[in-house]
Amino acid sequence: MPRLSSKERLLDAAAEVLLSKGAEALTLEAVARQAGVSKGGLFYHFPTKQALVAAMVDRLIKAFDQALAEVGAEPGDFLRAYLNATIPEHHTATNASADRVTAALLAAVLVDPAGLAPLRERFAAWQARLTDDGIDPAAATAVRLAIDGWWAARLLGLGEPDAALHEHTRRYLMEAIDRATRH
């Protein structure tokens, strides 16, 4: 397994601070302590808390973009990839952990709403790609909004479906995409 770069270790430490202590505890000092580095070592990579949070948002966006990178050229392929990248086939503890990091990061970004700008830009690009996915743009958008709503419900713990309903609902959305490709 390759060694993580100093920057990646610091971002992991920041995620751990967010998860264990909450967004209000995300300070440069706390991240340096969690990573076992000096504040100077942290400042080399992230001179401000905003720079740290921006790097965390950037990492989240890049991971999602990477999950969307291997898309076929058939109608609905991008929307299927969007569903697969957002809602796992089976709800597992690994997914819950990633959701917790995302939720904590979004809480931190809400302290500085300007930090959401890169995420807004990527969502606009993903939406543009969905409307050009070879299916009815309204159908693609309706499915995307259902996916995003489900994602938000999972992140915030708002009436998340149990495992059986999770799988059934995900299958339903995939079938909706398949139906849209036939029209």
Coordinates of all heavy atoms in Angstrom, one line a residue, residues 120-183:
R120 N -20.7 23.9 -5.8 CA -21.8 24.5 -6.7 C -21.4 24.4 -8.1 O -22.2 24.0 -9.0 CB -22.1 25.9 -6.3 CG -22.9 26.0 -5.0 CD -23.3 27.5 -4.8 NE -24.0 27.6 -3.5 CZ -23.5 28.2 -2.4 NH1 -22.3 28.7 -2.4 NH2 -24.2 28.2 -1.3
E121 N -20.1 24.7 -8.4 CA -19.7 24.7 -9.8 C -19.7 23.3 -10.4 O -20.1 23.0 -11.5 CB -18.2 25.3 -9.9 CG -18.2 26.8 -9.7 CD -16.7 27.3 -9.6 OE1 -15.8 26.5 -10.0 OE2 -16.6 28.4 -9.1
R122 N -19.2 22.3 -9.6 CA -19.2 20.9 -10.0 C -20.6 20.4 -10.2 O -20.9 19.7 -11.1 CB -18.4 20.0 -9.0 CG -17.0 20.3 -9.1 CD -16.3 20.3 -10.5 NE -16.6 19.0 -11.2 CZ -16.7 18.9 -12.5 NH1 -16.6 20.0 -13.3 NH2 -16.9 17.8 -13.1
F123 N -21.6 20.7 -9.3 CA -22.9 20.3 -9.4 C -23.5 20.8 -10.7 O -24.3 20.1 -11.4 CB -23.8 20.7 -8.2 CG -23.9 19.6 -7.2 CD1 -23.1 19.5 -6.1 CD2 -24.9 18.6 -7.3 CE1 -23.2 18.5 -5.2 CE2 -25.0 17.5 -6.4 CZ -24.1 17.5 -5.3
A124 N -23.2 22.1 -11.1 CA -23.7 22.7 -12.3 C -23.1 21.9 -13.5 O -23.8 21.6 -14.5 CB -23.3 24.2 -12.4
A125 N -21.9 21.5 -13.4 CA -21.2 20.8 -14.5 C -21.9 19.4 -14.6 O -22.1 18.9 -15.7 CB -19.7 20.6 -14.3
W126 N -22.1 18.7 -13.5 CA -22.7 17.4 -13.5 C -24.1 17.5 -14.1 O -24.5 16.6 -14.8 CB -22.7 16.8 -12.1 CG -21.3 16.5 -11.5 CD1 -20.2 16.1 -12.2 CD2 -20.9 16.6 -10.2 NE1 -19.2 16.0 -11.4 CE2 -19.6 16.3 -10.1 CE3 -21.6 17.0 -9.0 CZ2 -18.8 16.3 -8.9 CZ3 -20.9 17.0 -7.8 CH2 -19.5 16.6 -7.8
Q127 N -24.9 18.5 -13.7 CA -26.2 18.7 -14.2 C -26.2 18.9 -15.7 O -27.0 18.3 -16.4 CB -26.9 19.9 -13.5 CG -28.3 20.2 -14.1 CD -29.3 19.1 -14.0 OE1 -29.3 18.3 -13.0 NE2 -30.2 19.0 -14.9
A128 N -25.3 19.7 -16.2 CA -25.1 19.9 -17.6 C -24.9 18.6 -18.4 O -25.4 18.4 -19.4 CB -24.0 21.0 -17.9
R129 N -24.0 17.8 -17.8 CA -23.7 16.5 -18.4 C -24.9 15.6 -18.4 O -25.1 14.9 -19.3 CB -22.5 15.9 -17.6 CG -22.1 14.5 -18.1 CD -21.5 14.5 -19.5 NE -21.1 13.2 -19.9 CZ -22.0 12.3 -20.5 NH1 -23.2 12.6 -20.7 NH2 -21.5 11.1 -20.8
L130 N -25.7 15.7 -17.3 CA -26.9 14.8 -17.2 C -27.9 15.2 -18.3 O -28.6 14.4 -18.8 CB -27.5 14.9 -15.8 CG -26.8 14.2 -14.7 CD1 -27.3 14.5 -13.4 CD2 -26.9 12.7 -15.0
T131 N -28.1 16.5 -18.5 CA -29.0 17.0 -19.5 C -28.6 16.6 -20.9 O -29.4 16.7 -21.9 CB -29.3 18.5 -19.4 OG1 -28.1 19.2 -19.6 CG2 -29.9 18.8 -18.1
D132 N -27.3 16.2 -21.1 CA -26.8 15.8 -22.4 C -26.5 14.3 -22.4 O -25.5 13.9 -23.1 CB -25.6 16.7 -22.7 CG -25.1 16.5 -24.1 OD1 -26.0 16.3 -25.0 OD2 -23.9 16.6 -24.4
D133 N -27.2 13.5 -21.6 CA -26.9 12.1 -21.5 C -27.7 11.2 -22.4 O -27.7 10.0 -22.3 CB -27.2 11.7 -20.0 CG -26.5 10.4 -19.6 OD1 -25.5 10.0 -20.2 OD2 -27.0 9.8 -18.7
G134 N -28.4 11.8 -23.4 CA -29.1 11.0 -24.4 C -30.5 10.6 -24.0 O -31.1 9.8 -24.7
I135 N -31.0 11.1 -22.9 CA -32.3 10.9 -22.5 C -33.0 12.2 -22.2 O -32.4 13.2 -22.2 CB -32.4 9.9 -21.2 CG1 -31.7 10.5 -20.0 CG2 -31.8 8.6 -21.6 CD1 -31.8 9.7 -18.8
D136 N -34.3 12.1 -22.0 CA -35.1 13.3 -21.7 C -34.5 14.1 -20.5 O -34.3 13.5 -19.4 CB -36.5 12.9 -21.4 CG -37.4 14.1 -21.0 OD1 -37.0 15.3 -21.1 OD2 -38.6 13.8 -20.6
P137 N -34.1 15.3 -20.7 CA -33.4 16.1 -19.6 C -34.3 16.2 -18.4 O -33.8 16.2 -17.3 CB -33.2 17.4 -20.3 CG -33.1 17.2 -21.7 CD -34.1 16.1 -22.0
A138 N -35.6 16.3 -18.5 CA -36.5 16.3 -17.4 C -36.4 15.0 -16.6 O -36.4 15.0 -15.3 CB -37.9 16.7 -17.8
A139 N -36.4 13.9 -17.3 CA -36.3 12.6 -16.6 C -35.0 12.5 -15.9 O -34.9 12.1 -14.7 CB -36.5 11.5 -17.6
A140 N -33.9 12.9 -16.6 CA -32.6 12.8 -16.0 C -32.5 13.7 -14.8 O -31.9 13.3 -13.7 CB -31.5 13.2 -17.0
T141 N -33.0 14.9 -14.8 CA -33.0 15.8 -13.7 C -33.9 15.3 -12.6 O -33.5 15.4 -11.4 CB -33.5 17.2 -14.2 OG1 -32.6 17.7 -15.2 CG2 -33.5 18.2 -13.0
A142 N -35.0 14.8 -12.9 CA -35.9 14.2 -11.8 C -35.2 13.1 -11.0 O -35.2 13.0 -9.8 CB -37.2 13.7 -12.4
V143 N -34.5 12.2 -11.8 CA -33.8 11.1 -11.1 C -32.6 11.7 -10.3 O -32.4 11.3 -9.2 CB -33.3 10.1 -12.2 CG1 -32.4 9.0 -11.5 CG2 -34.5 9.3 -12.8
R144 N -31.9 12.6 -10.9 CA -30.8 13.3 -10.2 C -31.2 13.9 -8.9 O -30.6 13.7 -7.8 CB -30.1 14.3 -11.0 CG -28.8 14.8 -10.4 CD -28.5 16.3 -10.7 NE -28.7 17.0 -9.4 CZ -28.9 18.3 -9.4 NH1 -28.9 19.1 -10.5 NH2 -29.0 18.9 -8.2
L145 N -32.4 14.6 -8.9 CA -32.9 15.2 -7.7 C -33.3 14.2 -6.7 O -33.1 14.4 -5.5 CB -34.0 16.2 -8.1 CG -33.5 17.4 -8.9 CD1 -34.8 18.2 -9.3 CD2 -32.6 18.3 -8.1
A146 N -33.8 13.1 -7.1 CA -34.2 12.0 -6.2 C -32.9 11.4 -5.6 O -32.9 11.2 -4.4 CB -35.0 10.9 -6.9
I147 N -31.9 11.3 -6.4 CA -30.6 10.7 -5.9 C -30.0 11.7 -4.9 O -29.6 11.3 -3.8 CB -29.6 10.5 -7.0 CG1 -30.1 9.4 -7.9 CG2 -28.2 10.2 -6.5 CD1 -29.4 9.3 -9.3
D148 N -30.0 13.0 -5.2 CA -29.4 14.0 -4.3 C -30.2 14.1 -3.0 O -29.6 14.3 -2.0 CB -29.4 15.4 -5.0 CG -28.3 15.5 -6.1 OD1 -27.5 14.5 -6.3 OD2 -28.4 16.4 -6.9
G149 N -31.5 14.0 -3.1 CA -32.4 14.1 -1.9 C -32.1 12.9 -1.0 O -32.0 13.0 0.2
W150 N -31.9 11.7 -1.6 CA -31.6 10.5 -0.8 C -30.2 10.7 -0.2 O -30.1 10.3 1.0 CB -31.6 9.3 -1.8 CG -31.5 8.0 -1.1 CD1 -31.4 7.7 0.2 CD2 -31.6 6.7 -1.8 NE1 -31.3 6.3 0.4 CE2 -31.5 5.7 -0.8 CE3 -31.8 6.4 -3.1 CZ2 -31.5 4.4 -1.1 CZ3 -31.8 5.0 -3.4 CH2 -31.7 4.0 -2.4
W151 N -29.3 11.2 -1.0 CA -27.9 11.4 -0.4 C -28.0 12.4 0.8 O -27.4 12.1 1.8 CB -27.1 12.0 -1.5 CG -25.7 12.4 -1.2 CD1 -24.6 11.6 -0.9 CD2 -25.2 13.8 -1.1 NE1 -23.5 12.4 -0.7 CE2 -23.8 13.7 -0.7 CE3 -25.8 15.0 -1.2 CZ2 -23.1 14.9 -0.6 CZ3 -25.0 16.2 -1.1 CH2 -23.7 16.1 -0.7
A152 N -28.8 13.5 0.6 CA -28.9 14.4 1.8 C -29.6 13.8 3.0 O -29.2 14.0 4.1 CB -29.6 15.6 1.3
A153 N -30.6 13.0 2.7 CA -31.3 12.3 3.8 C -30.3 11.3 4.5 O -30.4 11.2 5.8 CB -32.5 11.5 3.3
R154 N -29.5 10.6 3.8 CA -28.5 9.7 4.4 C -27.5 10.5 5.2 O -27.2 10.2 6.4 CB -27.7 8.9 3.3 CG -28.5 7.8 2.8 CD -27.7 6.9 1.9 NE -26.2 7.0 1.9 CZ -25.5 7.4 0.8 NH1 -26.1 7.6 -0.4 NH2 -24.2 7.5 0.8
L155 N -27.0 11.7 4.7 CA -26.0 12.5 5.4 C -26.6 13.0 6.7 O -25.9 13.1 7.7 CB -25.6 13.6 4.5 CG -24.7 13.2 3.3 CD1 -24.3 14.4 2.5 CD2 -23.5 12.4 3.7
L156 N -27.9 13.4 6.7 CA -28.5 14.1 7.8 C -29.2 13.2 8.7 O -29.8 13.6 9.7 CB -29.4 15.2 7.3 CG -28.6 16.3 6.5 CD1 -29.6 17.3 5.9 CD2 -27.6 17.0 7.3
G157 N -29.3 11.9 8.3 CA -30.1 10.9 9.1 C -31.6 11.2 9.1 O -32.2 11.1 10.2
L158 N -32.1 11.6 8.0 CA -33.5 12.0 7.9 C -34.3 10.9 7.2 O -34.5 10.9 6.0 CB -33.7 13.3 7.1 CG -32.9 14.5 7.7 CD1 -33.0 15.7 6.7 CD2 -33.5 14.8 9.1
G159 N -34.8 9.9 8.0 CA -35.7 8.9 7.5 C -35.0 8.0 6.4 O -35.6 7.6 5.4
E160 N -33.8 7.6 6.7 CA -33.1 6.7 5.7 C -33.8 5.4 5.7 O -34.1 4.8 6.7 CB -31.6 6.6 6.2 CG -30.8 5.8 5.2 CD -29.4 5.6 5.7 OE1 -29.0 6.2 6.7 OE2 -28.6 5.0 5.0
P161 N -34.0 4.8 4.5 CA -34.6 3.5 4.4 C -33.8 2.4 5.0 O -32.5 2.5 5.0 CB -34.8 3.3 2.9 CG -33.9 4.3 2.2 CD -33.6 5.4 3.2
D162 N -34.5 1.3 5.4 CA -33.7 0.2 5.9 C -33.0 -0.5 4.8 O -33.2 -0.1 3.6 CB -34.6 -0.8 6.7 CG -35.7 -1.4 5.9 OD1 -35.6 -1.5 4.6 OD2 -36.8 -1.7 6.5
A163 N -32.2 -1.5 5.0 CA -31.4 -2.2 4.0 C -32.3 -2.7 2.8 O -32.0 -2.5 1.7 CB -30.6 -3.3 4.6
A164 N -33.4 -3.4 3.1 CA -34.3 -3.9 2.1 C -34.9 -2.8 1.2 O -34.9 -2.9 0.0 CB -35.4 -4.8 2.7
L165 N -35.4 -1.8 1.9 CA -36.0 -0.7 1.1 C -34.9 0.1 0.3 O -35.2 0.6 -0.8 CB -36.8 0.2 2.0 CG -37.6 1.4 1.4 CD1 -38.5 0.8 0.3 CD2 -38.3 2.2 2.4
H166 N -33.7 0.2 0.9 CA -32.6 0.8 0.2 C -32.4 0.2 -1.1 O -32.3 0.8 -2.2 CB -31.4 0.7 1.1 CG -30.1 1.2 0.5 ND1 -29.5 2.4 0.7 CD2 -29.3 0.6 -0.4 CE1 -28.4 2.5 0.0 NE2 -28.2 1.4 -0.7
E167 N -32.3 -1.2 -1.1 CA -32.0 -1.9 -2.3 C -33.2 -1.8 -3.3 O -32.9 -1.7 -4.5 CB -31.6 -3.4 -2.0 CG -30.3 -3.5 -1.3 CD -29.9 -4.9 -0.9 OE1 -30.4 -5.8 -1.5 OE2 -29.1 -5.0 0.1
H168 N -34.4 -1.9 -2.8 CA -35.6 -1.8 -3.7 C -35.6 -0.4 -4.3 O -35.9 -0.3 -5.5 CB -36.8 -2.1 -2.8 CG -38.1 -2.2 -3.7 ND1 -38.4 -3.2 -4.5 CD2 -39.1 -1.3 -3.8 CE1 -39.5 -2.9 -5.1 NE2 -39.9 -1.8 -4.7
T169 N -35.4 0.6 -3.5 CA -35.5 2.0 -4.1 C -34.4 2.2 -5.1 O -34.6 2.9 -6.1 CB -35.4 3.0 -2.9 OG1 -36.4 2.7 -2.0 CG2 -35.5 4.4 -3.4
R170 N -33.2 1.8 -4.8 CA -32.1 1.9 -5.8 C -32.4 1.2 -7.1 O -32.2 1.8 -8.2 CB -30.8 1.4 -5.1 CG -29.6 1.8 -5.9 CD -28.3 1.2 -5.3 NE -27.2 1.7 -5.9 CZ -26.8 1.2 -7.1 NH1 -27.5 0.4 -7.8 NH2 -25.7 1.7 -7.7
R171 N -33.0 0.0 -7.0 CA -33.4 -0.7 -8.2 C -34.4 0.0 -8.9 O -34.4 0.1 -10.2 CB -33.9 -2.1 -7.7 CG -33.6 -3.2 -8.7 CD -33.9 -4.6 -8.2 NE -34.9 -4.8 -7.1 CZ -34.5 -5.0 -5.9 NH1 -33.3 -5.2 -5.5 NH2 -35.5 -5.2 -4.9
Y172 N -35.4 0.6 -8.2 CA -36.4 1.4 -8.8 C -35.8 2.6 -9.6 O -36.3 2.9 -10.8 CB -37.4 2.0 -7.7 CG -38.5 2.8 -8.3 CD1 -39.7 2.2 -8.7 CD2 -38.4 4.2 -8.4 CE1 -40.7 3.0 -9.2 CE2 -39.4 5.0 -8.9 CZ -40.6 4.3 -9.3 OH -41.6 5.1 -9.8
L173 N -34.9 3.3 -9.0 CA -34.2 4.4 -9.7 C -33.5 3.9 -11.0 O -33.5 4.6 -12.0 CB -33.3 5.2 -8.8 CG -34.0 6.0 -7.8 CD1 -32.9 6.6 -6.8 CD2 -34.8 7.1 -8.4
M174 N -32.8 2.8 -10.9 CA -32.1 2.3 -12.0 C -33.1 1.9 -13.1 O -32.8 2.2 -14.3 CB -31.3 1.0 -11.6 CG -30.2 0.6 -12.6 SD -29.0 1.9 -13.0 CE -27.8 1.7 -11.6
E175 N -34.2 1.3 -12.7 CA -35.3 1.0 -13.7 C -35.8 2.2 -14.4 O -36.2 2.3 -15.6 CB -36.3 0.1 -13.1 CG -35.9 -1.3 -12.7 CD -36.8 -2.0 -11.8 OE1 -37.9 -1.5 -11.4 OE2 -36.5 -3.2 -11.5
A176 N -36.0 3.3 -13.6 CA -36.5 4.6 -14.1 C -35.5 5.1 -15.2 O -35.9 5.6 -16.2 CB -36.6 5.6 -13.0
I177 N -34.2 4.9 -15.0 CA -33.2 5.4 -16.0 C -33.3 4.5 -17.2 O -33.3 5.0 -18.3 CB -31.8 5.3 -15.4 CG1 -31.6 6.2 -14.2 CG2 -30.7 5.5 -16.5 CD1 -30.3 6.0 -13.4
D178 N -33.5 3.2 -17.0 CA -33.6 2.3 -18.2 C -34.9 2.6 -19.0 O -34.9 2.6 -20.2 CB -33.7 0.8 -17.7 CG -32.4 0.4 -17.1 OD1 -31.3 1.0 -17.4 OD2 -32.4 -0.7 -16.4
R179 N -36.0 3.0 -18.3 CA -37.2 3.3 -19.0 C -37.0 4.6 -19.8 O -37.5 4.7 -20.9 CB -38.4 3.5 -18.0 CG -39.0 2.2 -17.5 CD -40.3 2.5 -16.7 NE -40.2 3.3 -15.6 CZ -39.7 2.9 -14.4 NH1 -39.4 1.7 -14.2 NH2 -39.7 3.8 -13.4
A180 N -36.3 5.6 -19.2 CA -36.0 6.8 -19.9 C -35.2 6.6 -21.1 O -35.3 7.4 -22.1 CB -35.4 7.8 -18.9
T181 N -34.3 5.6 -21.1 CA -33.5 5.4 -22.3 C -34.3 4.8 -23.5 O -33.9 4.9 -24.6 CB -32.3 4.5 -22.0 OG1 -32.8 3.2 -21.6 CG2 -31.4 5.1 -20.9
R182 N -35.4 4.2 -23.2 CA -36.3 3.6 -24.2 C -37.3 4.6 -24.9 O -37.9 4.2 -25.8 CB -37.0 2.4 -23.6 CG -36.1 1.2 -23.3 CD -36.9 0.0 -22.9 NE -37.6 0.1 -21.7 CZ -37.2 -0.3 -20.5 NH1 -36.0 -0.8 -20.4 NH2 -38.0 -0.2 -19.5
H183 N -37.3 5.8 -24.3 CA -38.3 6.8 -24.9 C -37.6 7.8 -25.7 O -36.6 8.2 -25.7 CB -39.1 7.4 -23.7 CG -40.0 6.5 -23.1 ND1 -39.7 5.9 -21.8 CD2 -41.2 6.0 -23.4 CE1 -40.7 5.1 -21.5 NE2 -41.6 5.1 -22.4

